[in-house]
Amino acid sequence: GEKVEQHESTLSVREGDSAVINCTYTDTASSYFPWYKQEAGKSLHFVIDIRSNVDRKQSQRLIVLLDKKAKRFSLHITATQPEDSAIYFCAASRGSNNRIFFGDGTQLVVKP
Amino acid sequence: NSKVIQTPRYLVKGQGQKAKMRCIPEKGHPVVFWYQQNKNNEFKFLINFQNQEVLQQIDMTEKRFSAECPSNSPCSLEIQSSEAGDSALYLCASSPGHSGNTLYFGEGSRLIVV
């Protein structure tokens, strides 16, 4: 089955800098790649996603890049703010109603 | 605030006891997923439904868990005989079922098996 790996378990940046979280996947049939944020003691909150028909998607300060050849995707958070501090999970799925496979999370700390 | 409602938020069970969790999906979402998140933040997919039908489930779910999503009632996940290793956060998520299957998660039910 699919295996999603998140390369950074922790990431610390200064407020205003950019943060990049990298993920890889193994299933070439995966076509849907969402990202979720989990703040301490809370549930997962959807932040952004990308589908395999594009290689870049931006929503305000969030940019997702997808490299299908390398089976790699990344989340870029620009102009980071302290409220961006959380655990970020990348995920991959074959789409439709197939199960979504999650990475193990990256703890992002944004220092004021 | 999440529109997926999970109850109870916390439950404490002894080994061998049943543990039951409920989930009301977001209105209009026919697809429901259950995941287990352990203390290391690892996710384990348990089962998913479209309306009342099971789409996929893992072996563990088949053997020790029972789950259903009856019409006009909350979905539920029940562990027949709790084990220490079942201590985790159980997350329910619903999806509108479109091709992208974005999941919207509830706050979770935290199970502690003592």
Side-chain angles (χ1 to χ4, degrees):
Chain A
E2 171 71 282
K3 184 167 174 58
V4 177
E5 291 195 11
Q6 257 175 275
H7 295 231
E8 299 85 6
S9 57
T10 59
L11 182 60
S12 181
V13 299
R14 289 266 175 222
E15 183 178 358
D17 288 349
S18 291
V20 182
I21 302 171
N22 296 286
C23 291
T24 54
Y25 63 99
T26 58
D27 185 0
T28 52
S30 286
S31 60
Y32 176 65
F33 306 90
W35 288 85
Y36 288 86
K37 175 182 180 181
Q38 188 174 34
E39 296 174 49
K42 295 189 178 179
S43 188
L44 277 79
H45 176 71
F46 170 79
V47 289
I48 193 170
D49 59 15
I50 190 167
R51 290 172 173 76
S52 59
N53 59 339
V54 296
D55 54 20
R56 185 182 190 278
K57 182 175 180 179
Q58 181 165 3
S59 174
Q60 298 180 320
R61 296 187 294 109
L62 303 176
I63 301 169
V64 184
L65 302 178
L66 173 62
D67 181 342
K68 291 189 291 291
K69 275 189 180 177
K71 295 205 280 289
R72 185 170 56 211
F73 59 116
S74 57
L75 173 67
H76 299 244
I77 307 173
T78 61
T80 53
Q81 301 167 0
E83 51 265 38
D84 293 329
S85 296
I87 301 176
Y88 288 81
F89 292 93
C90 62
S93 166
R94 291 186 174 189
S96 293
N97 297 318
N98 280 290
R99 55 190 285 189
I100 293 180
F101 295 84
F102 288 86
D104 290 341
T106 297
Q107 174 77 62
L108 173 65
V109 176
V110 180
K111 297 179 180 177
Chain B
N1 287 336
S2 175
K3 296 177 184 176
V4 176
I5 309 300
Q6 284 190 252
T7 57
R9 291 293 308 277
Y10 300 92
L11 61 167
V12 180
K13 296 292 178 182
Q15 295 195 47
Q17 288 188 317
K18 284 188 183 181
K20 188 166 186 175
M21 294 154 267
R22 291 177 177 82
C23 171
I24 300 175
E26 189 168 329
K27 192 174 181 181
H29 285 191
V31 180
V32 172
F33 284 70
W34 285 97
Y35 280 88
Q36 178 196 67
Q37 185 183 24
N38 68 19
K39 61 181 180 181
N40 296 320
N41 288 328
E42 295 161 338
F43 287 86
K44 180 183 284 184
F45 166 83
L46 296 176
I47 191 168
N48 61 348
F49 292 85
Q50 181 158 9
N51 296 314
Q52 293 81 51
E53 301 297 319
V54 174
L55 294 175
Q56 299 166 300
Q57 64 181 322
I58 62 172
D59 283 351
M60 179 178 83
T61 310
E62 237 174 284
K63 290 172 185 169
R64 296 201 303 114
F65 291 54
S66 62
E68 60 176 0
C69 270
S71 61
N72 302 318
S73 290
C75 297
S76 64
L77 177 70
E78 185 174 73
I79 305 173
Q80 301 303 314
S81 178
S82 301
E83 300 174 357
D86 296 331
S87 296
L89 181 66
Y90 289 83
L91 291 164
C92 174
S94 70
S95 165
H98 302 153
S99 59
N101 76 308
T102 300
L103 297 185
Y104 298 90
F105 284 84
E107 296 296 320
S109 291
R110 185 166 296 282
L111 170 65
I112 299 170
V113 181
V114 298

